[in-house]
Amino acid sequence: MRFVLASASPRRLELLARLGITPDAIDPADVDESPRRLELPLPHARRLAAEKAAVVAARHPGSLVLASDTVVACGRRILPKAEDERTARQCLDLLSGRRHRVHSTVTLIDAEGRARHRESTSVLAFKRLSPQEADAYLASGEWHGKAGGYAIQGFAESFVRSLAGSHSGVMGLPLFETRALLAAAGLTLG
């Protein structure tokens, strides 16, 4: 059975490798990730994971297709993927000294076209960041392209006072939920 990852994320590939899985193909979906009007963070993550999986499954009939989406939320607010330093700074300023949630949804479409979904929500608390800490993090460039303007698998992990939930989910692919979906679909795991 062919297994297709609907993502070009190096982190998702690395996380799948922890399960002993290497995709047969990597085919990122190109979907509009803009939140809809009044869309809340968790439904937004659900919708995007489902849309990504459906787009890629249409291109790979008869394959297992895995897609995931991760949303960083502060209250009801969906934080963007930081593509520029100004956005990253705004995200860090908002998260500094506060709790926030990271919602990760995984969608697996099986060979018969049935979609299954799993979700993971993690609650994190950041320390209050000094201007020097924020500047140093921004200078690292690690934030580029990351939801909420940070990457927990790097230097930003030192800002996390507490985490309740899935570390791998915050990275972009909750392994417990992913493993359950893949095992249920009959994929042999390492």
Side-chain angles (χ1 to χ4, degrees):
M1 185 175 343
R2 275 180 51 83
F3 174 58
V4 180
L5 176 62
S7 173
S9 164
R11 259 117 355 255
R12 289 191 178 115
L13 265 180
E14 172 193 325
L15 289 164
L16 281 174
R18 293 180 187 181
L19 295 176
I21 298 171
T22 302
D24 296 303
I26 296 170
D27 186 2
D30 184 22
V31 300
D32 179 5
E33 296 191 18
S34 304
R36 293 182 176 157
R37 187 174 179 276
L38 302 177
E39 188 172 41
L40 295 173
L42 182 55
H44 179 66
R46 285 181 193 140
R47 178 178 62 81
L48 290 181
E51 284 180 7
K52 291 173 183 180
V55 165
V56 174
R59 297 193 294 240
H60 299 273
S63 298
L64 282 178
V65 174
L66 182 78
S68 183
D69 195 76
T70 300
V71 172
V72 177
C74 197
R76 299 170 68 109
R77 182 175 176 181
I78 297 169
L79 275 62
K81 284 186 181 175
E83 297 299 338
D84 57 60
E85 191 172 311
R86 181 177 161 272
T87 302
R89 183 174 297 279
Q90 289 172 337
C91 290
L92 287 179
D93 288 347
L94 184 63
L95 297 174
S96 177
R98 295 182 69 180
R99 287 177 25 162
H100 65 281
R101 296 183 189 282
V102 177
H103 303 285
S104 286
T105 298
V106 182
T107 297
L108 181 71
I109 297 182
D110 66 20
E112 288 76 43
R114 288 183 304 255
R116 292 183 175 90
H117 316 275
R118 289 285 182 105
E119 300 164 354
S120 167
T121 295
S122 302
V123 179
L124 293 88
F126 265 27
K127 72 182 284 306
R128 182 161 303 283
L129 302 176
S130 71
Q132 296 82 9
E133 289 169 322
D135 289 345
Y137 188 69
L138 292 169
S140 77
E142 183 179 90
W143 50 267
H144 191 266
K146 304 296 187 294
Y150 74 92
I152 196 169
Q153 67 273 16
F155 182 71
E157 188 169 11
S158 69
F159 301 154
V160 178
R161 276 187 335 191
S162 66
L163 173 116
S166 170
H167 188 272
S168 60
V170 177
M171 285 177 66
L173 187 68
L175 290 181
F176 179 82
E177 290 77 7
T178 300
R179 181 183 191 88
L181 282 174
L182 295 174
L187 194 66
T188 304
L189 303 171

